[in-house]
Amino acid sequence: MQAETTKAPAAPAINARQESRWSLLKRDLYLSRHYYVLMAPFMLIFFLFTVIPVGLSLGLSFFHFNMLELPRFVGWQNYSRLFLNDDVFLIALKNTLLFAVITGPVSYIACFLFAWIINELSPKIRAVMTLVFYAPSISGNVFFIWLIIFSGDSYGYMNGFLMRLGVILEPILWLANEKYVLAIVILVQLWLSLGTSFLAFIAGLQTIDRSLVEAGTVDGIKNRWQELWYITLPSMRPQLMFGAVMQITASFAVAEISIALAGFPSVNYAAHTVVTHLMDYGTIRFEMGYASAIATVLFAMMLGTNIVTQKMLRKIGE
């Protein structure tokens, strides 16, 4: 009887706690209703054109669907075919990982270093240099200039330069030789990498409170590298995260440059990537279930890399 009397008040207490949480939630929703109304159009578009397509693609990856017949459930067959029977996908996966490992970190570090250096210049020179570095990424198909540089005849700039120096005796088919084509595409990707992340870093450096630098000097900051690690980078975590997401996405989504320079498909699939493989099955062969499986694998790679990057960025300044 005594035990029952002690347990009896527990239910009203739990109900009161739940009611208080619901009441707090309702009150917060009511007080913030204007913000939710303003966010509603964007969230609606985001769910319609991003969240729902990603969910449908994930579900469709377990089906055979050729755009003509009704989807037919095949389970894990698309994924087993992808990793066990598709040699071209393995080549594309290797090339994509190579792109990500090289162009991702190098372009990310280059974006920040150039932004850090340019930020120290006077406002007029800083504006000019920002435009100079950012121009290639907003100039449309400006990377086609590399077709002239690496042209396979003697009129190509690279062949002409090397032949004049006596390094080679006859022109090299740079973009038709599997030994060179991947390195050239990586080079062009790095050249185009100073884009949105670069501007985000410039903006982040402009918003750093100078009083933090002065306080750091008083607290024992001795040089610019310590200022960078303990003050500048921790103050720019949002911009650093945004830049990381943009650079990771760009490094995994290489396709247009590879197709423009090396063709589609490239010689012996030397510059083939996961995105070009996805385009092959999605827009040419119309094997939408298999293409969805490729897209799901690419999405998982991007998501995993972003999670690892977020954990690394949280340790900045520690």
Side-chain angles (χ1 to χ4, degrees):
M1 294 295 294
Q2 189 174 0
E4 293 179 357
T5 55
T6 55
K7 291 181 180 179
I14 294 174
N15 292 332
R17 194 181 305 117
Q18 290 178 348
E19 290 176 0
S20 62
R21 289 177 181 176
W22 279 109
S23 61
L24 289 174
L25 179 60
K26 290 180 180 179
R27 186 178 66 181
D28 291 339
L29 290 175
Y30 179 77
L31 293 176
S32 305
R33 63 189 184 279
H34 303 292
Y35 304 110
Y36 290 111
V37 170
L38 293 174
M39 289 173 58
F42 169 78
M43 295 303 297
L44 180 62
I45 295 174
F46 179 74
F47 272 92
L48 284 177
F49 296 102
T50 302
V51 177
I52 294 178
V54 169
L56 291 176
S57 176
L58 178 60
L60 195 61
S61 66
F62 296 98
F63 289 82
H64 171 76
F65 182 43
N66 58 7
M67 300 287 290
L68 297 175
E69 302 172 336
L70 291 175
R72 175 168 51 86
F73 182 75
V74 293
W76 295 96
Q77 182 177 333
N78 287 329
Y79 292 98
S80 62
R81 173 188 170 190
L82 196 62
F83 289 101
L84 300 178
N85 299 324
D86 193 345
D87 295 333
V88 177
F89 172 75
L90 296 180
I91 296 174
L93 183 63
K94 181 194 71 173
N95 292 337
T96 302
L97 292 176
L98 194 61
F99 270 110
V101 169
I102 296 177
T103 63
V106 172
S107 61
Y108 184 74
I109 294 172
C111 284
F112 181 80
L113 287 179
F114 284 123
W116 189 38
I117 294 171
I118 292 174
N119 185 63
E120 301 298 322
L121 303 175
S122 61
K124 292 183 179 180
I125 300 178
R126 182 170 62 235
V128 173
M129 294 303 296
T130 301
L131 178 61
V132 169
F133 280 95
Y134 184 63
S137 63
I138 60 173
S139 301
N141 295 330
V142 69
F143 56 82
F144 277 107
I145 192 176
W146 293 89
L147 290 174
I148 303 175
I149 295 175
F150 290 103
S151 178
D153 52 29
S154 58
Y155 297 100
Y157 293 162
M158 184 59 67
N159 280 332
F161 178 72
L162 294 178
M163 291 174 68
R164 185 179 293 261
L165 293 178
V167 178
I168 59 176
L169 299 177
E170 58 183 13
I172 297 176
L173 299 174
W174 298 100
L175 299 175
N177 192 323
E178 58 183 304
K179 293 191 300 183
Y180 305 114
V181 63
L182 183 62
I184 292 173
V185 175
I186 291 175
L187 176 64
V188 177
Q189 178 68 23
L190 288 173
W191 180 65
L192 292 170
S193 61
L194 294 180
T196 308
S197 303
F198 173 71
L199 290 184
F201 293 155
I202 288 283
L205 289 168
Q206 290 292 306
T207 58
I208 293 177
D209 189 359
R210 302 306 300 176
S211 63
L212 295 176
V213 179
E214 298 173 359
T217 304
V218 175
D219 291 338
I221 298 295
K222 299 179 181 179
N223 51 54
R224 294 300 301 275
W225 295 109
Q226 289 183 347
E227 176 189 323
L228 175 66
W229 181 255
Y230 292 108
I231 297 176
T232 304
L233 291 178
S235 301
M236 290 179 56
R237 279 199 178 97
Q239 290 83 9
L240 292 175
M241 180 57 63
F242 174 78
V245 172
M246 296 299 295
Q247 294 303 119
I248 290 171
T249 303
S251 62
F252 275 104
V254 175
E256 184 181 2
I257 298 173
S258 174
I259 294 173
L261 298 180
F264 183 55
S266 55
V267 54
N268 289 334
Y269 300 101
H272 204 59
T273 64
V274 174
V275 176
T276 57
H277 201 57
L278 171 62
M279 294 169 62
D280 183 13
Y281 280 91
T283 62
I284 298 178
R285 309 189 192 197
F286 292 106
E287 296 186 25
M288 303 307 294
Y290 192 66
S292 297
I294 299 173
T296 301
V297 172
L298 181 62
F299 176 74
M301 292 166 56
M302 289 184 177
L303 183 62
T305 307
N306 276 312
I307 292 174
V308 173
T309 304
Q310 289 179 18
K311 291 182 179 180
M312 294 175 62
L313 290 177
R314 290 193 188 102
K315 297 181 180 180
I316 291 178
E318 295 181 357

